[in-house]
């Protein structure tokens, strides 16, 4: 499968045992541990730098994440989806910056992706890689957004998607998946159970496996959000990039993108990464705070209004911890009530967020109060998914924060 790889890829490095593998030696994970032996794709940066420059990018007519193809693991003859993934706007939210007493706050609005969340970046990578490797069916386990994203991108490439979801996923997400024509397997259990079943059935049927923190290409898709932020800010990075964390894959992708840019000499400084977890799903925060070894730490029983942040045992926990530790960043946690309040605040700035996305603003607010962010600092927050994905939570938010603005019209 990894014979279909860009020439710039030199190896697949295991985050657990440290072994470095040639692309053709591995399929998804390292032989040291089929679940925890997650791989990280390593590039020949010197070669990339010779082939492409920031000026080349500026003159590129390719719109969206594929403009960064020279920095991605797929060869340049790959068939790409026609849907535009990426190219999401970066807004300056000066009013919010003023409210938070920060120098500047930008919002990278991933709610504007084709299926409404950042997960499209990974799923686009999955369909492109699967097509190259000759698959026509892809499988994934997901709590909702990754599944919606895969269903959307597979439909666009005329491929089939098999989706394994826990049966308590928000109904909007389940409907969205079905509308894209994917086949759903409702799992009577949690995400972990869905994950295990998806692997078993995909292996039996020779389907491509998109599962996050299992398929190393997913981080490579997600990292393009960092490239776009850098390009949109003319390569002048903010002091902090803030993002919410469930399984830990997005934050790992953001970090990977920033490391690439630093290695290429395209940015001068590494921003600190602020990771926000829900207080009811704070495995990584605990490990970071108590200096525990994430690979040995026992699973917790996660629960949060932010369904996309629920993870008993975050699968990408090694990459997620490294993202904060290696950038001198911080982890913080927010309650369900703080998340709903942040949803309300974002709405009042014109941005509709699902709880998992609004958690980021809640975390920024908390970190600012705790003096972990300073008034002279600038910050990018990633709005990871649209509020239309979970209207039940919007309703809950309105109950607490002003559903009063409907008046009876008199005829
Ligand atoms: C998946 C998701 C997250 C969390 O990302 P992880 O990679 O699981 O840490 C946050 N927000 C939204 C909207 C998501 O879909
Ligand atoms: Zn290994």
């Amino acid at each position: 499968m990894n014979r279909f790889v860009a020439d710039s890829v030199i190896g697949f490095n295991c985050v657990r045992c440290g072994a470095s593998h040639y692309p053709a030696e591995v399929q998804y994970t390292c032989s040291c541990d089929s679940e925890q032996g997650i791989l990280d794709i390593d590039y020949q940066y010197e070669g990339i730098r010779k082939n492409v420059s920031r000026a080349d990018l500026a003159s590129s007519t390719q719109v969206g994440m594929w403009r960064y193809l020279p920095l991605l693991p797929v060869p340049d003859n790959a068939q790409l989806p026609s849907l535009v993934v990426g190219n999401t706007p970066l807004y300056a939210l000066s009013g919010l910056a003023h409210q938070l007493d920060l120098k500047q706050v930008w919002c990278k609005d991933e709610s504007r992706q084709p299926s409404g969340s950042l997960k499209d970046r990974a799923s686009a990578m999955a369909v492109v890689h699967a097509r190259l490797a000759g698959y026509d069916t892809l499988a994934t386990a997901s709590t909702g957004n990754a599944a919606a994203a895969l269903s959307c991108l597979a439909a666009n490439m005329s491929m089939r998607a098999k989706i394994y979801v826990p049966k308590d996923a928000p109904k909007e997400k389940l409907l969205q998946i079905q509308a894209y024509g994917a086949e759903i397997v409702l799992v009577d259990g949690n995400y972990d159970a869905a994950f295990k079943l998806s692997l078993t059935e995909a292996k039996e049927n020779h389907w491509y496996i998109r599962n996050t923190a299992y398929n190393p290409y997913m981080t490579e898709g997600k990292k393009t959000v960092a490239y776009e932020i850098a390009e949109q800010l003319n390569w002048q990075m903010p002091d902090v990039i803030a993002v919410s964390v469930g399984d830990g894959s997005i934050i790992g992708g953001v970090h990977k993108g920033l490391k690439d840019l630093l290695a290429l000499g395209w940015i001068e400084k590494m921003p600190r990464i602020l990771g926000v977890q829900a207080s009811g799903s704070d495995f990584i925060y605990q490990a970071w705070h108590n200096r525990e070894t994430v690979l040995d730490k026992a699973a917790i029983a996660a629960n949060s209004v932010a369904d996309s942040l629920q993870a008993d045992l975050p699968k990408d926990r090694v990459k997620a911890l490294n993202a904060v530790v290696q950038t001198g960043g911080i982890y913080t946690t927010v309650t369900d009530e703080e998340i709903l309040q942040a949803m309300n605040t974002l709405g009042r700035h014109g941005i509709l967020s699902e709880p998992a996305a609004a958690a980021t603003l809640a975390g920024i607010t908390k970190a600012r109060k705790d003096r972990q962010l300073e008034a002279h600092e600038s910050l990018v927050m990633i709005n990871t998914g649209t509020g239309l994905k979970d209207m039940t939570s919007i309703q809950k938010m309105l109950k607490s924060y002003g559903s009063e603005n409907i008046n009876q019209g008199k005829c």
Side-chain angles (χ1 to χ4, degrees):
M1 187 169 90
N2 294 320
R3 285 180 292 124
F4 306 94
V5 76
D7 292 339
S8 55
V9 171
I10 49 180
F12 285 57
N13 300 341
C14 176
V15 302
R16 179 176 173 274
C17 76
S20 183
H21 305 276
Y22 289 115
E25 287 175 355
V26 282
Q27 194 176 16
Y28 293 106
T29 50
C30 179
S31 52
C32 74
D33 187 315
S34 66
E35 271 187 43
Q36 301 193 359
I38 294 167
L39 299 170
D40 181 44
I41 302 182
D42 192 16
Y43 296 84
Q44 227 285 14
Y45 291 105
E46 208 48 57
I48 295 175
R49 195 165 25 204
K50 281 195 193 115
N51 284 335
V52 61
S53 67
R54 291 182 295 184
D56 293 335
L57 272 181
S59 60
S60 165
T61 53
Q62 178 75 256
V63 174
M65 65 183 272
W66 302 108
R67 66 196 274 104
Y68 308 106
L69 202 53
L71 286 68
L72 298 175
V74 291
D76 55 16
N77 62 349
Q79 186 196 335
L80 306 176
S82 59
L83 288 172
V84 177
V85 176
N87 192 35
T88 58
L90 184 77
Y91 316 120
L93 295 175
S94 304
L96 195 57
H98 185 76
Q99 232 171 292
L100 290 162
D101 190 21
L102 285 168
K103 187 167 145 206
Q104 186 55 283
V105 173
W106 289 277
C107 175
K108 177 65 172 163
D109 193 6
E110 293 290 303
S111 72
R112 297 273 295 264
Q113 294 280 11
S115 85
S117 87
L118 188 146
K119 301 289 198 293
D120 284 350
R121 294 180 187 272
S123 291
M125 181 62 76
V127 293
V128 166
H129 187 224
R131 170 65 43 90
L132 274 170
Y135 291 88
D136 61 7
T137 303
L138 301 95
T140 197
S142 164
T143 55
N145 285 340
L150 180 63
S151 308
C152 172
L153 271 302
N156 184 241
M157 293 279 276
S158 304
M159 298 169 92
R160 298 197 308 155
K162 305 272 179 183
I163 305 300
Y164 297 80
V165 275
K167 64 176 181 346
D168 56 358
K171 71 171 184 303
E172 291 87 342
K173 293 182 184 178
L174 290 174
L175 290 170
Q176 188 186 8
I177 293 163
Q178 293 171 74
Y180 292 129
E183 191 182 307
I184 295 184
V185 180
L186 270 188
V187 179
D188 190 10
N190 62 7
Y191 170 58
D192 234 37
F195 195 95
K196 291 216 164 78
L197 185 61
S198 70
L199 290 191
T200 310
E201 299 206 345
K203 279 176 191 158
E204 274 171 22
N205 295 290
H206 298 283
W207 297 331
Y208 182 91
I209 303 170
R210 181 236 180 263
N211 289 3
T212 292
Y214 180 77
N215 181 328
Y217 285 72
M218 300 305 93
T219 300
E220 303 303 306
K222 286 170 182 165
K223 75 180 183 182
T224 58
V225 71
Y227 297 167
E228 286 185 10
I229 291 169
E231 212 186 345
Q232 285 166 315
L233 292 175
N234 202 20
W235 313 100
Q236 305 298 307
M237 298 312 283
D239 297 301
V240 177
I241 295 183
V243 67
S244 54
V245 178
D247 247 354
S249 179
I250 295 179
I251 196 171
V254 168
H255 186 213
K256 178 66 176 287
L258 295 171
K259 284 191 290 188
D260 286 351
L261 296 177
L262 209 56
L264 290 168
W266 290 6
I267 60 172
E268 271 160 27
K269 74 167 183 194
M270 176 62 88
R272 276 151 53 222
I273 297 180
L274 166 60
V276 183
Q277 289 218 283
S279 54
S281 180
D282 64 348
F283 180 101
I284 301 172
Y285 167 80
Q286 286 180 21
W288 174 78
H289 188 259
N290 305 327
R291 295 173 187 270
E292 293 168 278
T293 315
V294 275
L295 286 177
D296 299 336
K297 182 174 166 58
I300 61 171
N303 183 36
S304 167
V305 66
D307 63 288
S308 302
L309 298 185
Q310 279 186 40
D312 295 348
L313 185 64
K315 296 212 183 300
D316 242 341
R317 53 199 182 279
V318 175
K319 289 182 186 176
L321 190 69
N322 287 344
V324 164
V325 171
Q326 292 176 7
T327 63
I330 50 164
Y331 266 104
T332 191
T333 62
V334 292
T335 63
D336 281 1
E337 199 182 312
E338 288 167 326
I339 290 173
L340 292 177
Q341 191 175 359
M343 278 169 69
N344 182 253
T345 305
L346 282 169
R348 303 306 172 97
H349 285 88
I351 295 167
L352 198 68
S353 299
E354 72 165 87
T360 305
L361 177 61
I364 293 165
T365 309
K366 174 121 176 271
R368 182 71 187 100
K369 265 191 205 132
D370 294 347
R371 298 259 150 215
Q372 292 165 318
L373 297 172
E374 302 289 339
H376 60 83
E377 293 190 298
S378 60
L379 174 152
V380 171
M381 58 169 282
I382 303 177
N383 185 38
T384 46
T386 173
L388 294 173
K389 295 235 186 208
D390 183 358
M391 294 309 281
T392 311
S393 293
I394 299 265
Q395 223 165 10
K396 216 182 261 177
M397 176 275 281
L398 288 174
K399 259 196 197 126
S400 311
Y401 301 95
S403 50
E404 309 290 310
N405 46 8
I406 298 182
N407 301 313
Q408 284 301 328
K410 292 201 181 81
C411 313

